[in-house]
Amino acid sequence: MLLRVLPALYEQQPRPITLRLRDLVALTAQLDQAEQHHLLRLLQAVARNKELGVLKECLPFLFGHLRDPNHSDLILNILTELSSYEPTALASFLPTLKELGETFPGLIGQTAKIFGAVGHIDEETARTCLLYLVNQLANMEHSFHHILLLEIKSLTDTFSSILGTQSRDIYRMSNSFTAIAKLLVRQLEDSAPGARSKSLALHAVRAKGASSEGGQDEESGEVNAGISFPEIYISQDDERPPFGADPAVMPLGDSLVSHRSVDDPESADWAESAPGKALEGSAEAAPVEHQDKLYLHLKENLGKVKEYVAEMGRKIPIPEQCVIEDTVRSCVAKLFFSCALKGHYCLYSKSSFTLVSHQPPLWIHIMFLFQQSLFAEPLSIQSSSVQVLKALWEKTQLKGAHSFETAMIQSTFPHQKDLDHVQMHLEEVRFFDLFGYSEEAGAWQCFMCNNPEKATDTLASASLRPLTSEFPTGFSVDAQEKSSVSTA
């Protein structure tokens, strides 16, 4: 009973509890599973409070229980928290974390974040962590790809000498994850000093690149399916959408990533000579972009946009795909939402929550602001991502109406009453019963991923049926079944 209330007491008076924390940890063997869980919750609060000294002393305890499936998720959350401000404390434990990720693939999302944080210590450590992350990129199922790629790009951005000038090309030339892994391996080999270029791990990843992923041709890197909207910032460039494609019916991720073959030199040449192509970090591109009214407007309001989206994103989810459809009276936006985590018991690991809205311009505006918030530099009207949103916008407008550029400039942010209407619509279709914003993950996750203990407790009782009481009437707990709702 005492352990149950200690996390709350710690928030009020941390020092007395911190002084006795070693004694509490020493009693672990005498505690039952529930009591151990409460102790871990206390350690999580200690980690958030950055009590580094006592937390370091508890690392052997944490790693000793890391393989316990009842506690591994919570322990990894504690370690992830610690790695965010003291990554060096976990550097010596990387082999253990690597083995854990290989034994329990469902934990790869958290271990990837820890490897990403530890990799920022120095360039040598970054190379070590990159080998692991790239290897997982080629091996893991699609649901973890975006997390791995985020960590890989963060490291290669921090230590730009690892990939050199090839970095931008690697991330933009394909949305095939194993193709990207092969390109990363090739560049890591070229830039690795001495014997590291012969690393067996690198060659293992290269060999793995020939395996299938989603039915696409890995050798050519040609893609049959795109990546989701939250992932597109890694591939931002100023290329036009694929020739002949209709942006109004394309997944947002697809339309923002090139569909060229990575091995086609002619395609690559076309990309470099594309009109309006911005050269990252190059002064030559500046005069073109500075003549862009949208670019100048966003440049003046970049900080406000980021602040606005940071707040709005906690209340309104961002769709990963948008399709504009014509109806008898008007057009509607069909929006697809999925869980960011896609954990072991995820309700939407292979499906989407579908929402039909009669306010497509408003959703396009929201997606545009979110798109801009992902970048340090202002977008321009020539950016491929903006071109796609512009095409969607034009599908919804009558002749003579404001252009996309004019509308975004005249009204930087949507009216609050419109956002309130969006929230009301989401409430009406019970979206917030199925999804919630996770402050810890910084993303929208389904009910089960936000509350994994519900699944664990229910499955332990050998019956999934009682879980239905947690959801709206008529909802089927079936991760494979696509949940779809229409407008109210």
Side-chain angles (χ1 to χ4, degrees):
M1 181 61 71
L2 177 61
L3 281 170
R4 181 186 294 273
V5 300
L6 278 182
L9 290 175
Y10 175 81
E11 300 293 340
Q12 303 298 322
Q13 294 183 311
R15 182 166 175 75
I17 297 176
T18 300
L19 292 174
R20 302 303 299 272
L21 193 58
R22 300 171 188 82
D23 298 331
L24 288 172
V25 170
L27 297 173
T28 303
Q30 304 174 30
L31 305 178
D32 60 28
Q33 182 178 315
E35 291 171 331
Q36 289 178 359
H37 181 78
H38 294 311
L39 177 58
L40 289 172
R41 283 183 53 235
L42 174 60
L43 287 173
Q44 187 174 31
V46 172
R48 287 172 178 166
N49 204 34
K50 300 183 179 180
E51 296 272 2
L52 187 57
V54 67
L55 204 58
K56 280 185 175 181
E57 295 181 10
C58 294
L59 285 178
F61 159 74
L62 292 172
F63 277 95
H65 289 75
L66 192 54
R67 287 181 165 275
D68 185 339
N70 296 309
H71 303 312
S72 56
D73 187 68
L74 183 52
I75 291 176
L76 282 175
N77 287 339
I78 296 172
L79 298 177
T80 301
E81 184 74 31
L82 174 61
S83 70
S84 66
Y85 56 84
E86 189 60 32
T88 54
L90 299 178
S92 62
F93 294 99
L94 290 184
T96 304
L97 290 168
K98 178 177 180 291
E99 183 182 349
L100 179 77
E102 292 171 349
T103 307
F104 303 101
L107 301 175
I108 192 64
Q110 291 154 298
T111 57
K113 291 179 181 179
I114 297 173
F115 268 82
V118 174
H120 283 82
I121 295 175
D122 53 47
E123 184 171 331
E124 184 178 355
T125 308
R127 288 180 179 275
T128 301
C129 292
L130 277 171
L131 290 180
Y132 170 77
L133 294 170
V134 172
N135 186 39
Q136 298 308 309
L137 183 65
N139 283 281
M140 283 296 110
E141 62 180 63
H142 178 79
S143 58
F144 294 109
H145 285 160
H146 71 288
I147 297 176
L148 291 162
L149 210 50
L150 292 180
E151 299 303 332
I152 290 170
K153 188 172 189 298
S154 178
L155 287 175
T156 55
D157 283 349
T158 301
F159 301 100
S160 56
S161 61
I162 293 178
L163 295 184
T165 58
Q166 300 298 315
S167 174
R168 188 172 176 82
D169 290 335
I170 288 173
Y171 291 117
R172 76 159 189 255
M173 288 178 69
S174 176
N175 61 349
S176 158
F177 292 102
T178 49
I180 291 176
K182 286 199 299 181
L183 290 169
L184 286 167
V185 165
R186 192 174 305 161
Q187 188 61 25
L188 282 170
E189 287 180 337
D190 292 341
S191 65
R196 188 181 287 130
S197 63
K198 300 298 182 182
S199 167
L200 291 176
L202 290 174
H203 289 285
V205 178
R206 172 168 286 182
K208 182 65 179 179
S211 64
S212 63
E213 176 195 328
Q216 65 189 27
D217 182 357
E218 298 302 339
E219 288 304 314
S220 68
E222 292 178 350
V223 184
N224 294 325
I227 57 177
S228 62
F229 187 64
E231 298 163 7
I232 52 85
Y233 86 95
I234 62 166
S235 56
Q236 168 65 18
D237 53 41
D238 291 301
E239 298 165 16
R240 300 178 183 276
F243 180 76
D246 180 3
V249 295
M250 292 179 64
L252 291 176
D254 264 355
S255 56
L256 299 172
V257 181
S258 172
H259 282 231
R260 298 183 309 278
S261 165
V262 296
D263 296 322
D264 181 359
E266 193 169 291
S267 296
D269 291 341
W270 174 86
E272 293 304 320
S273 60
K277 177 70 183 174
L279 303 175
E280 186 176 45
S282 171
E284 288 83 357
V288 177
E289 289 196 298
H290 286 188
Q291 295 171 9
D292 189 320
K293 292 181 180 179
L294 183 63
Y295 174 91
L296 293 173
H297 176 73
L298 290 172
K299 185 177 181 180
E300 292 178 359
N301 295 278
L302 197 57
K304 294 179 181 177
V305 169
K306 289 183 179 295
E307 291 177 6
Y308 182 87
V309 173
E311 181 63 27
M312 178 188 67
R314 290 179 168 85
K315 301 174 182 177
I316 296 176
I318 305 299
E320 68 172 14
Q321 184 179 352
C322 174
V323 177
I324 302 300
E325 294 183 345
D326 291 325
T327 63
V328 177
R329 296 182 179 179
S330 62
C331 62
V332 297
K334 183 176 286 187
L335 306 161
F336 300 87
F337 303 86
S338 69
C339 176
L341 180 60
K342 291 182 172 63
H344 186 67
Y345 301 108
C346 184
L347 297 171
Y348 293 94
S349 61
K350 296 181 180 179
S351 62
S352 300
F353 181 100
T354 307
L355 176 74
V356 178
S357 171
H358 286 286
Q359 294 182 294
L362 176 58
W363 277 103
I364 294 171
H365 196 168
I366 290 171
M367 290 185 285
F368 169 72
L369 292 173
F370 176 76
Q371 175 78 17
Q372 176 59 82
S373 72
L374 298 175
F375 299 98
E377 295 297 323
L379 295 171
S380 77
I381 197 65
Q382 296 302 322
S383 301
S384 63
S385 55
V386 176
Q387 285 289 307
V388 172
L389 292 172
K390 177 175 176 285
L392 292 174
W393 177 273
E394 290 171 351
K395 273 274 197 177
T396 70
Q397 300 297 305
L398 298 173
K399 290 184 178 179
H402 283 318
S403 68
F404 175 78
E405 184 178 17
T406 300
M408 296 302 103
I409 292 174
Q410 288 188 352
S411 181
T412 306
F413 306 112
H415 295 297
Q416 185 57 48
K417 64 178 182 180
D418 291 331
L419 295 180
D420 292 341
H421 186 274
V422 166
Q423 281 191 288
M424 288 175 59
H425 187 194
L426 289 168
E427 288 176 359
E428 289 170 2
V429 298
R430 311 301 292 272
F431 177 88
F432 297 117
D433 290 342
L434 302 173
F435 289 86
Y437 183 81
S438 168
E439 289 288 347
E440 185 174 353
W444 286 84
Q445 298 178 170
C446 75
F447 177 88
M448 296 300 276
C449 288
N450 278 333
N451 302 276
E453 71 281 357
K454 297 283 186 182
T456 304
D457 294 344
T458 304
L459 292 177
S461 64
S463 174
L464 190 60
R465 292 303 173 190
L467 185 64
T468 57
S469 63
E470 302 286 348
F471 297 104
T473 304
F475 177 79
S476 173
V477 184
D478 183 358
Q480 309 303 320
E481 179 181 349
K482 187 169 184 176
S483 175
S484 179
V485 295
S486 59
T487 50

